[in-house]
Amino acid sequence: LKYLDSSTIKRYLAMRSPQLRSQTLLFLTSLCSRVREDMKIRSLSQQNEIAVKTLLSLVPDIALNISEADLYLARIALALLSDILTIIGPRGYSIPKVAATAVLKKVLKFARSPLNQGEVLKATIVLFKKLLESKILVSLAKAKKSSDGALDLLFEELMGVVDEQKLPESNFFPIAQCLSAAIITASRMESLDGNRKVSGEKDAAQIMKKLALNIKSKETGVLCKRVSLVALGECMREGVRLGFTTSDPISDLTSIVLSALEHQEEEVRVAAAESLGSIFARPGGSGLATILKIIQQRPRQKYLLLSSLKKALMCILQEENEVFPENAKATDLHKILVSNADAKEEGIRSLVAECYGALFAGAANQLSALVPKLAKGNSCLKVMILSALRHALVSIGESLGRKQNASSIIQHPCISVLQELFKDETSELLELFDDTDLNVRVQAMSFIYSAIPLYPSLFKSPSARKSVLASIYKATTRDQKLVKTVNMGPFEHKVDAGLPLRRFGFRALGVVIILDAQLVKDKSKLMLSSASDRLESLKRLLGGLTDDESDIVLLGWRILQDISSSSAASALLEIVNILPSCIMQTIKKYLRAAKGNDSHAERARHVLRECVRGLYAMTRIPGSERCTDFKQFFQRVKQTSMLKQMLVDCMKEDHMRKN
């Protein structure tokens, strides 16, 4: 720091080059980490005292990088400001009011951005917490006489940006998250003002009263109500443990949220449902019984209340480390959900499946004996259980994947239960893959497509894997019985009811081909156990390239592109020479159709572009240059004017992607 003074760093932070600014922010982050580590073992050295003063002088310049123009820089800057606030608190340092005001203004502006999501939103929430924990907001609140303390100031500022003409429609949730995090943080603090002892819980409860008034007031705007509902729900969820809601005379908060379910605006009703789910997401699942009673009492609001149940289940699973508590009576939830599986409204049926999936993800052991019975039920129950199991596997994969713990995914109780349920070809669940009902088979293919990439060992026995592969092959085959001719008056139109089944069947097939190449060393997980199986799967894929439906042809070429860029690319060399004779007539058909100016011609050109991309991807596979038939065919493609231009565009896209 003798040679790199603050004025030089300020200049770097103001440069146009994002690389220079990011490296400068990362340098300051490392500097801040060193100071924090030094504080743990001893008092600050003279060098680190200089470092702290340098960091404090750079606060306004760091805040300038909080912008939606570069979310990576914004995330680093937000995290760095949080670190600086962490180290200055114990040492008695303070940020000047001008700098603190600049930071707060910049963060508030960024909080209302529709791009403030994911990791950037997490960093924003952490900074709001740190601002509240530090003395910065206390001094700003004193300067602003209209605010009654630091939390009240933050509440006023956050609700101030909830202006229906300024706040983007899609961004009420991040504002609500920031607000609820601030309230929860305040409730845990011993004092909000260093000069006087103040109960943090009391201040938090006062803000919650204001949220309740926003919900009840007829003059409050829709966005303000939505923010207030979501923030209130999150606070109530935490407040069950903290106790500040039960000691405060706001005993009717739940009834206030329930009344919002009757609001004339749909957005408010949806926010109320999410808030209700947070309120009843109590540790141990004790609040679920109340939701079930409300569902039975309010049949006209079943969709919204099922949304609340889903929210509560997901929150409980996060709190309970992905395992549903034994005392929550999962069987009672099972009965309610099963009774609504055949609802007339498709939205309710979908929500029932999502709720059951969340329930099964945490209570698989409790439900393991009930799932086979559902597989023997009517078509609605079969569709529901397959969809639910897919949701369960995806949610487990996402949650454990975020924790980067691959072994936990395999050891999860839900996976071991499903492995037992899919143990062999006689399994009730495996029988669903060849069910007589088309919708059941569609859900089965969707389940395979989602499950196999996450859990390759889900089907443990060779007989089960063989049965699954046979079901995939059957799903990719066009069934003429499902093609119906509809008389439209002046013309006839063919409707292929089997299109969704083939679509998911080919997606599942592509996943199997790619995954088997990755697991070639672990034969116990291979779906394609022999060279003949692999060749057969590739030939089935070729059938998609010549399908009568353009949707399937498009999908087939995209799958081929995915395979060409994966470890399974070399397997395509087995079919590359027979490819031209298979697709020649199909390409000619689409070339003729592409000459018009209507929507059908545009669709044909779209198919041809994907075809050219697929062929170009195959030319890049090592060894394809020795496949003479394919090589000659590709030369003919280059000589066709329309395809030649598409190839040029494809090569440009590939070059831009690499650079």
Side-chain angles (χ1 to χ4, degrees):
L1 292 176
K2 291 180 180 178
Y3 304 98
L4 191 65
D5 58 12
S6 59
S7 60
T8 305
I9 300 175
K10 284 182 181 182
R11 192 167 68 252
Y12 291 165
L13 289 171
M15 290 285 188
R16 288 187 177 182
S17 169
Q19 290 87 354
L20 179 57
R21 282 186 287 152
S22 66
Q23 290 302 317
T24 306
L25 289 171
L26 289 172
F27 160 72
L28 294 174
T29 301
S30 299
L31 186 66
C32 198
S33 299
R34 173 167 180 164
V35 173
R36 191 167 60 248
E37 290 299 318
D38 191 40
M39 289 172 60
K40 291 180 181 179
I41 56 177
R42 61 178 179 272
S43 59
L44 284 179
S45 63
Q46 186 177 1
Q47 288 181 330
N48 282 331
E49 290 280 1
I50 297 172
V52 172
K53 292 178 181 178
T54 302
L55 289 167
L56 286 173
S57 67
L58 294 170
V59 165
D61 304 277
I62 295 169
L64 290 175
N65 289 277
I66 303 174
S67 167
E68 61 182 14
D70 193 322
L71 296 180
Y72 175 68
L73 284 177
R75 182 172 63 83
I76 301 174
L78 288 164
L80 177 56
L81 288 172
S82 298
D83 289 344
I84 292 173
L85 291 174
T86 301
I87 62 174
I88 66 172
R91 304 300 302 172
Y93 290 101
S94 62
I95 296 176
K97 286 184 181 180
V98 176
T101 303
V103 170
L104 185 59
K105 185 177 180 181
K106 197 71 177 176
V107 177
L108 287 169
K109 182 179 179 181
F110 182 70
R112 51 188 265 205
S113 167
L115 300 179
N116 190 7
Q117 303 173 24
E119 295 299 318
V120 189
L121 176 58
K122 291 179 183 178
T124 307
I125 291 172
V126 171
L127 182 55
F128 272 114
K129 290 179 179 179
K130 296 298 180 183
L131 284 169
L132 197 62
E133 290 171 353
S134 67
K135 297 180 180 180
I136 296 171
L137 292 182
V138 175
S139 58
L140 293 180
K142 287 181 178 179
K144 190 175 181 180
K145 297 180 180 180
S146 60
S147 298
D148 185 19
L151 180 60
D152 194 56
L153 170 67
L154 203 55
F155 171 78
E156 288 178 3
E157 295 291 348
L158 281 170
M159 294 306 290
V161 301
V162 186
D163 185 332
E164 298 197 30
Q165 296 179 355
K166 296 179 181 179
L167 183 69
E169 174 72 15
S170 61
N171 205 43
F172 79 97
F173 185 73
I175 293 288
Q177 290 286 90
C178 293
L179 180 57
S180 61
I183 296 171
I184 293 165
T185 301
S187 68
R188 294 170 176 167
M189 294 170 60
E190 295 180 359
S191 174
L192 296 180
D193 190 337
N195 299 324
R196 61 188 181 94
K197 290 290 183 179
V198 179
S199 171
E201 292 184 1
K202 183 178 279 189
D203 278 2
Q206 290 298 320
I207 298 300
M208 288 178 67
K209 282 183 179 179
K210 292 184 179 182
L211 293 176
L213 289 173
N214 285 342
I215 298 168
K216 293 168 66 177
S217 174
K218 294 181 180 180
E219 298 178 359
T220 308
V222 171
L223 279 176
C224 185
K225 286 184 183 294
R226 294 168 75 186
V227 170
S228 299
L229 281 163
V230 175
L232 183 64
E234 290 295 317
C235 291
M236 289 282 283
R237 177 183 163 196
E238 293 292 327
V240 172
R241 290 197 299 275
L242 297 171
F244 67 84
T245 57
T246 55
S247 61
D248 197 86
I250 322 176
S251 57
D252 61 339
L253 283 179
T254 303
S255 62
I256 292 172
V257 176
L258 282 171
S259 66
L261 288 174
E262 307 282 353
H263 198 274
Q264 59 183 0
E265 296 291 340
E266 183 182 0
E267 294 89 347
V268 176
R269 296 197 297 271
V270 172
E274 177 152 349
S275 178
L276 197 65
S278 298
I279 289 172
F280 290 117
R282 297 170 187 164
S286 59
L288 296 177
T290 309
I291 294 185
L292 295 181
K293 288 180 182 178
I294 297 174
I295 291 174
Q296 293 173 333
Q297 294 169 357
R298 300 188 175 205
R300 295 180 60 184
Q301 296 174 328
K302 189 174 292 183
Y303 181 85
L304 291 171
L305 293 170
L306 284 171
S307 299
S308 302
L309 179 60
K310 177 189 168 185
K311 172 71 175 180
L313 288 169
M314 297 302 293
C315 291
I316 291 170
L317 288 178
Q318 292 174 7
E319 293 287 336
E320 303 292 335
N321 295 320
E322 313 300 332
V323 178
F324 207 70
E326 291 284 344
N327 60 353
K329 297 182 179 180
T331 52
D332 292 345
L333 289 168
H334 164 87
K335 292 176 184 177
I336 292 291
L337 293 173
V338 168
S339 66
N340 289 283
D342 57 352
K344 292 181 180 180
E345 297 86 352
E346 184 180 353
I348 290 179
R349 295 198 302 272
S350 299
L351 261 178
V352 166
E354 292 180 40
C355 289
Y356 201 95
L359 180 63
F360 188 83
N365 288 324
Q366 300 179 50
L367 301 175
S368 58
L370 300 173
V371 169
K373 295 179 182 178
L374 296 178
K376 292 181 179 180
N378 58 36
S379 297
C380 289
L381 287 175
K382 292 175 181 179
V383 169
M384 186 276 285
I385 191 58
L386 285 169
S387 179
L389 294 179
R390 176 172 58 84
H391 285 300
L393 291 177
V394 171
S395 65
I396 293 170
E398 288 176 350
S399 61
L400 295 179
R402 286 193 296 267
K403 297 174 184 177
Q404 299 181 341
N405 191 350
S407 61
S408 295
I409 297 177
I410 299 171
Q411 297 169 3
H412 196 281
C414 179
I415 307 303
S416 58
V417 169
L418 280 177
Q419 285 177 333
E420 184 63 24
L421 292 173
F422 286 111
K423 59 183 177 181
D424 54 44
E425 72 277 7
T426 63
S427 161
E428 291 86 349
L429 288 177
L430 275 180
E431 289 176 1
L432 298 181
F433 293 2
D434 294 314
D435 196 84
T436 55
D437 189 280
L438 178 62
N439 291 328
V440 176
R441 298 202 302 276
V442 170
Q443 283 297 331
M445 288 301 110
S446 176
F447 171 79
I448 294 172
Y449 168 66
S450 301
I452 289 180
L454 293 170
Y455 317 100
S457 60
L458 186 61
F459 306 104
K460 294 184 71 174
S461 69
S463 60
R465 292 198 294 272
K466 187 176 180 180
S467 176
V468 171
L469 190 60
S471 299
I472 294 174
Y473 288 165
K474 186 177 179 180
T476 58
T477 305
R478 184 184 178 92
D479 187 353
Q480 291 297 334
K481 296 178 181 178
L482 298 175
V483 181
K484 297 180 181 180
T485 302
V486 181
N487 191 339
M488 306 293 287
F491 62 93
E492 291 183 342
H493 178 64
K494 287 186 177 181
V495 177
D496 188 355
L499 180 60
L501 178 63
R502 293 207 306 286
R503 187 182 291 122
F504 278 112
F506 276 108
R507 285 175 177 169
L509 181 62
V511 164
V512 167
I513 294 171
I514 293 173
L515 193 64
D516 268 41
Q518 297 172 356
L519 302 172
V520 67
K521 294 181 180 179
D522 190 352
K523 294 185 178 180
S524 64
K525 298 179 181 178
L526 293 179
M527 297 286 285
L528 308 173
S529 55
S530 63
S532 59
D533 286 340
R534 185 170 64 249
L535 182 60
E536 176 65 21
S537 67
L538 293 171
K539 288 181 178 178
R540 296 275 180 173
L541 181 59
L542 287 182
L545 304 182
T546 58
D547 197 277
D548 292 340
E549 293 287 345
S550 60
D551 284 356
I552 301 300
V553 179
L554 272 171
L555 179 61
W557 281 112
R558 286 170 180 166
I559 292 172
L560 201 68
Q561 293 170 42
D562 292 338
I563 296 174
S564 298
S565 60
S566 72
S567 54
S570 59
L572 291 175
L573 296 178
E574 298 181 36
I575 61 163
V576 72
N577 269 334
I578 64 174
L579 179 66
S581 60
C582 291
I583 64 173
M584 181 68 77
Q585 294 303 319
T586 304
I587 290 180
K588 288 180 178 179
K589 180 182 78 171
Y590 282 107
L591 280 171
R592 289 192 296 269
K595 293 179 181 179
N597 294 318
D598 56 5
S599 59
H600 295 289
E602 179 58 36
R603 180 67 170 175
R605 288 192 288 272
H606 189 27
V607 172
L608 290 172
R609 276 191 289 271
E610 291 300 327
C611 171
V612 169
R613 287 192 183 101
L615 293 172
Y616 176 67
M618 293 183 72
T619 62
R620 300 172 64 81
I621 300 174
S624 63
E625 68 278 359
R626 296 192 295 271
C627 302
T628 54
D629 291 349
F630 176 74
K631 192 174 180 181
Q632 292 173 4
F633 174 75
F634 195 68
Q635 289 299 322
R636 292 180 62 182
V637 169
K638 291 181 179 180
Q639 294 169 6
T640 307
S641 58
M642 184 183 294
L643 300 182
K644 180 181 178 181
Q645 184 56 49
M646 291 178 179
L647 179 61
V648 171
D649 295 339
C650 177
M651 294 173 71
K652 286 181 180 178
E653 289 174 6
D654 186 59
H655 179 71
M656 290 176 64
R657 195 180 300 114
K658 286 182 178 179
N659 292 335

